[in-house]
Each structure stands twice: as structure tokens, then as C-alpha cells.
Amino acid sequence: MEAISTLPDFLGLQDPDFQLIDRYRDLLESETPALAHAFYDYLLAHPVTAAVFRDFSRARLDALIQKQAEHISGLLASRLDKSWRESMRRIGALHHHLGIEPSWVAGAYILYWRHWQKMLQEQVPASDRNLLRDALFRLLIGDLMVQLDGYARASRETDAERLALFDVLLGVLAVPRGDESPRPEGLLQQICEALPRKSANVRLAGYVVSSAMGEILTLECLAGLPLPALQIPKIAGDPCWLALESGQAVIQSVDDPQAPEWIQALRNRIEEIGIFPFGAEDLRGVGLIGVREKGYFHRVGSAYFDAFAHLGELVLLLRNQSLRDPLTALPNRALFLDRLETARDQTLRRERLLGVALIDLDGFKQVNDRLGHGAGDQLLQAVVQRLQAQLRAGDTLARMGGDEFGLLLPGLERLDDLEVVCERLLAAIREPLEIQGEAVGVSGSLGVTLYPLDDSDASTLIQHADMALYAAKDAGRNQFHLHTLALDEAVQTEVAKRVLLEQALHEGRMVLHYQPIVASADGVVGVEALIRLQHPEKGLLAPAAFFSALDHPRLARTIGRFVLDAALRQGAIWQGEGLPLRVAVNISTRHLLDARFLEDLREALANHPSVPPEQLEIEITESAPLLNLEKAQTVLKSCQGLGVRIAIDDFGTGNASLTYLQHLPAHSIKIDQSFVRDMINDPKDLAIVAAVTTASRMLGLEVIAEGVETADHAALLAKMGCSHLQGYLFSRPLPAEDIPAWITRFRPAPQLVGALPPMDVLPPILEGHLLRVQAFLRALRQENPFPAHVLGEDAEEYCHLGRWLRGEGALLFGQSPDFAGLLARHERIHRFARAAKSLLDAGDMEGAMHQGNLLDLENRLLLAELLAMTGQRRVAHPIIAGSPE
């Protein structure tokens, strides 16, 4: 504005204009006091401007009114000269400092104009009225322009201050955070240190923090002015506590006689202090910003310090989160350990018992895999609510990670109290839940130790509870187990087994021995690979010495990869010697369900390409699919797709054997030796073996009996139709190099040749087949639905008769020249069925019935050929036996 020659020239104010104003100045000044009062009445009538003056005393307001009157008089006499303009610029800057917006200042000038307009109309002659009105209007505009110029200059200074504050915030937050970055509190500390350094007005920056139940705010960080250790008790009227309780910032003048002592102690060093509250759950705090001039926060605005408070809230939230699980809001492991230390001290003083427990949910992973992580989270939250409902005040439930929880039970008087609490907690977990519209059930395993009976430090108490937890799982889950000295010794024994196995793997002392599997019709068909450990002092150790470590998380995959590679390598050697033996390997539960298992299997097959995939058989125990049937089914189907055979080992010992026959893509069933060994003397075992054999044959599955030790066992199994035998009657497990010689020496024992009724399972299969054909023909006439496994592209492999033909039928009649024709006729039956259904769908009923008649004729021919084949064949399958090696 100063680039213009003079402001009056710019406004068109000439000497005659000022002379006219001077002529009527006494008249205009006569109403100055009333105008000044009207001016402040106007400001005090509006909340925005009234807030600026709310803390002013009456005397101070009167002084301001007097100054306003002087301003009016001075303006009329000023002629807008240079000194007046400088004075008005300072007033404009003051208005900015006080936080009065330019629009409110301009509004006040309207009061001047209205007041003078009335006087002009009533007391100035008409000849001078318009000229005076025009001169006064330009004078007011000039005065306002100069004030706005001062306001703008102050505003630019404020913008620079704001920019400095912004740079502080941005500079701290933009620093890269590596592994060595400070804790969350470090962010606030850096900002507190930077504010006094980069802002000319900020002299003090810090913050105090209190817990929700605390009665004292404690200084955690302070930069700028030195202060003694500051603690602010909860006293009525203290601005920090007022800010916390109201959630609103408080601007406090240090010379206020009502200010607390800790603020008054800052006199002569700062003029006012801004107090900005923040909080996160059970942690709260306030930021303290001390400045060197009054009105600073109004002038600069509190938004930048609100950002400081928001960051403080974030810091406290992060601190709280660092001690709590975000999903359940329970204490995490760090807070659990801290509370455990405190509980140990209190337990000794009170002479009571402290229960330290770990809880793990049984079946949680299956729910998570089947319904998704969202359902898993809902399940965890629901279980937490139930557990908390069963706990006493003072008990602590913490989430240690995943589906594992920690529990502190202080103040127990006797062991019975612990048992009651544990049973109650396990019962609460067992209650069914509804998640995403489905009924979901899980159980819990709980391991617990008692302090000071278990006089250990905090971390060891948790280790002992963990030992007890795994003991509860091994014992069948859905129960609790108390840590004892015996359990500790057992765990140490397991650790020793794992170390023994790890060392043997590392040093190449793991070997495979092979036990032959013989077939009643074909002699030796394969071997089962069985792992052994070569001990430097004790010699060759059987799996009993280290069996429990085979499925350990750290070892299961390594051992599985070793077994696959070693067995296939040996199979390739035998293949080169003209012995195409099927090799069965045992795969642990953990390795089978490992996401990398199929990758390991493909790699092993690729490394030994001379061994056809069908000569490898994977044996799985019932426990593997029991843990996750759906995943096991998917993995085994993929194995089958590679051409690898599948056998279910130890059949009958698990909890869902018949379900596995329904759902798993197995080629063989191995009846557990615990049933075979006692079947001659125990009718229950005999009934189980007979039932499994019959069911497997009807499904076209190969049946292998383990533990065959006598010729009587072999003869009885043969009469049941069990086709494959394995046990000490034939051979113990042998080193790989001994297998060829054993096969060369092996001869069947003529005295054990017995009779196998080959067709004992065929009548019910044929009956079922005939009923399905009749049902299909009725479906063509639209009398009932079509039966399953008839119309699909691979239906001939899954129907009743198809399973039998490809299983036991192939075993009995596969060498017959007529058997291939029998299979082809069976396939034609399904082709006629598909053609008939296609014509029916197209509306050609006559064509559909013609295909149905062809199907019926083909079926009659198939049955006649099958019956003729079975009638011609004598039942004569030698039972192969030899002396054990």
C-alpha cells in the first residue's frame, strides 16, 4: 500500500474535503462517547468477538471504550497522514493477535457510518450534506484499509509461526522408522524438544500422564524451560484436570491469581500456557505448551496443538495396545508376565496359592479353516466372554497368541478350589456356539501349575503350565492337567528323544529297514519302509525309542523328506535289479497336513524318475484326517492324481474309521495288528477283522493284515478274504540289502494252502447293482429320480459294481482273457445310460426308452458272463508262508 504516493490521493481526498470535515468536527465529536459504547456493545453481543474480551475486567473494558472514543476523534483530525497510518497498522495487528477476524472489524465501521448518517441528516445543512457524507465515507474506507494492512502483515507473521509448528510435526513424523527407532513415546518427546527450538514464541513443551484410576498427573517429558519433577494432584480447579474432565483445551494465564502454584511458578518466564487433553482407554494425559506472549493461541489457532494432542492420544493408544490384545482387549503376554510377578509377591504375603494356567482351544483351527478368519475371531471373542463370566474379581485372563490364553488365579486356599475353577472353565468352552448361522463346538485343554508349591520364577511357571497343557492334549484333550515333578521328568525325556533324533538326522545315522508284504495270489508284492536309528553306543534302535519325537513340529517335515527320498532311492536300486517292488512309507500327521507336503512329494518323485509313482504307497494313520478331514481329503486326492497309492494304516484304532472309508481316496486298508494278534482268542477282534475285510472288499480296496505271526492267523485271514498279509510269520524288517536274497529264498508253505470263497461279497453287490438298474429304468419313465453314480463321466469307476470290478474283481479274475470284455460291457451300460438321459432331456422319449432297453440287454449279458466266470473258477488261492528271517 505504501507504493501509492499517499493514501488520501488514492481515495480522492483533497484539502477541501478535509476542510469540510474540520468545519463539522465539533458536531461529529459530540457523539463520540455514545459511538464508542455502541462499538463495544456490538462486539460483546456476538459470541465470536465476545470470547476475546470474556476475561477482561470492567475497568479494562472502560479503558478500551475510552481509547475507542479517542480513535474516533483522532480519525476525524488525522487527514490519514503517515503517523496515523502507522498507528492503525499496529491496531490491525493487535486485532489479529486477539483473534478478531477482519469481517468483524469491517462490521464495526458500519456503526460509525450509521451514526454519522443520522447526524448528517438531522444537523448538517443540505448544501454541505452530500459533500460531507462523501468525504466521511472515504475517510472510513481509508482507516479500514490501513487496519487491514496491519492485520495482513501480522497474519503473514502468524502463518510463518504456523509453518514452523507444522514443520516440527511433519519433521518428526517423516523420519524413517527402522528396527532401532524409538518407542511411540519418542515421537512426543522429539516434538516437545523441537517446539521451543524452532518457534520463537514457544518456550516450554511437555506432557503429563495419568492412569484412569490415578489421582496424580506425572510429568513424562519437558523441553525448553527447566522445571523440577512435576506431579499434579487431582485438585478442584486445576486446569490440567479441568481439561481432562471436559475434554476441551484450556488456555491459562500465568498471572491469574487463581492459577495453581505450579503455573504461578512460571511467571516472568512465560505469559500463558495451553493445556491440551488426550486419552486412550485407561490412559490419559495433557500436553503443556508455554508461550512468551498473551493471545498467542488465539492468534495462531489451536489446531496445530490439537494435532499435538491427537499424536499424544495415538502414543497412549499404542502404549495401551502394546500391552493388550487388539481383538479381545485382554492383556497380552507382556502384561500377563508383569501381573504374574506382582501376583507371586502378593501370594507369599497372603500365604495362599496362585494358579498359573494356559488354555488352548481344541478344534479352533478347523473352524477357522472352514468358516474363515472372521468366524475364528468371533469364536475367540465369544469364548473370552464366557471365560470372563466364570472368573472372580482379581483373576487375570490374557491372550498369549492365537487360540492360547493365560490365566492367573490368585488367592486359592486348596487344590479343590483349583479343580472347581478348571472344570467350570472347560464346561463354559464346551457350550455350543452359533457362528455365521452355523452351530460350532470347540473344547479346551488346560495346563496349570501352583505357586509356591512350584517355587519357580515367572517364566518357568509359564513353561510348567505349558508342559501340563500338552499333557492334557496328549491325554485326549477337553481336560485339565496339573504340573508335577513326574510330568517335568517326562517332558525332559521327550526333549532328550528329540535331541537324539535331531543329532541322528544331522549325522546321517537314520536308516530304513523293510518288511515284506505278501499276497495270497501273487507272492511278495511290496515292502513297508520302517525307520531305525543307529545309536553309537546302543546299536540299532527301533522307533519305540524315539517315536513321540517323529511328529514334532521341528522334525516332522525333515524326517518325512528323508523317508521319501531314501525309500524311492532304494526302490530305484531294486528296479534296476529286476525287482519292481511297491514301497510303502509312513507319513506323519504333521507332514501330511503341512502346506509344503505335495511339493516335497513331487520333488522326491522327480529325483527318482525310474520308479513309477504307482510303486510308491503313502501310509497315513487315522489321526491325520481326524485333525482335519477336509484338508487330508484334498491332499490325498492330489497324491492320487500323481499316481501315488494311498493306504490307511492302523485302521480301526481311530474315532472315525467308517467315515474315512466313505471319504478318503484310499487304495489299501491296513488292519491294525492289535486286532489281528488276538482274533483267534477274542471273538470281538475276530468280528472287527471280518467286518473291515468285507467292507473293504465291497469297496474294491486292498486289505492288508498287520501282525500276522502264525500259520493259523494266515489261514483264518485267507478264509475271510483278506488278500495281503504282513508280519513275523514271513519276516521281520530287514536291511535293504537283504531283501533280494530273502525274496529268492521265499517259498509258499504247501501245508497252509487254504480256500478263499471268492464270491462271498458279490451277492449283495449284484443285488445292489440290479436294484440300481431297475431304478434307472423307472427314472426314464419319470417314476422316480435317477440314482447316483450312473450318469457322470466317471460313473463306471464309482458305482457299486464298478468299485468291485476294479478292486477284488481284478484280483480274482484279472488274468482271465474274458475279464477285459467284462469291464468294457460294464462301461457300455453307463454309456447307454448317459445317452438315454440326454435323449430324455431333449424330449425324445422313444429314443430314451430304446437306449434303456439296450442298457437292460447289456446288463443281462454282463451278469450272465460274470456268473459263468465265477462258476468256472475254483477257489484255490495258496497262502504264502515262509520261515521268519
Side-chain angles (χ1 to χ4, degrees), residues 243 539 635:
V635 172

Side-chain angles (χ1 to χ4, degrees), residues 515 677 707-709 726-733 882-885:
Q515 186 173 34
R677 284 175 178 165
V708 180
E709 297 182 350
Q726 179 182 354
Y728 285 2
L729 172 64
F730 310 107
S731 175
R732 294 176 179 272
S883 301
E885 288 291 321

Side-chain angles (χ1 to χ4, degrees), residues 735-754:
E737 58 270 20
D738 293 349
I739 289 294
W742 183 89
I743 292 176
T744 301
R745 296 194 305 270
F746 185 74
R747 295 291 182 274
Q751 71 272 21
L752 293 179
V753 173

Side-chain angles (χ1 to χ4, degrees), residues 512-515 517 526-530 563 567 581-587 615-619 647 670 704 726:
L512 295 182
H513 280 202
Y514 300 87
Q515 186 173 34
I517 301 172
V527 293
E528 179 183 0
L530 299 166
V563 170
L581 293 173
R582 191 170 82 204
V583 182
V585 297
N586 291 279
I587 295 298
Q615 285 184 212
L616 176 66
E617 184 168 66
I618 291 174
E619 293 189 4
K670 301 192 75 173
I704 304 172
Q726 179 182 354

Side-chain angles (χ1 to χ4, degrees), residues 512 514 558-572 585 587 600-601 603-608 611 616:
L512 295 182
Y514 300 87
T558 303
I559 293 170
R561 286 167 57 88
F562 161 76
V563 170
L564 283 170
D565 182 71
L568 285 170
R569 186 187 312 113
Q570 186 57 53
V585 297
I587 295 298
D600 295 340
L601 178 59
E603 181 182 342
L605 290 170
N607 289 339
H608 305 285
V611 181
L616 176 66

Side-chain angles (χ1 to χ4, degrees), residues 20 88 101 131 226 245 294 301 308 406 409 550 589 652 655-656 683 784 786 813 835:
L20 183 60
M88 289 304 99
E101 296 291 337
L131 290 174
E245 291 167 359
K294 290 181 180 178
F308 175 83
L409 301 167
L550 291 173
T589 299
N655 298 323
N784 57 259
F786 287 97
F813 307 114

Side-chain angles (χ1 to χ4, degrees), residues 316-330:
L316 293 192
L317 179 61
L318 290 174
R319 181 190 292 182
N320 192 63
Q321 287 178 345
S322 70
L323 297 176
R324 290 191 175 270
D325 170 56
L327 176 65
T328 62
L330 293 176

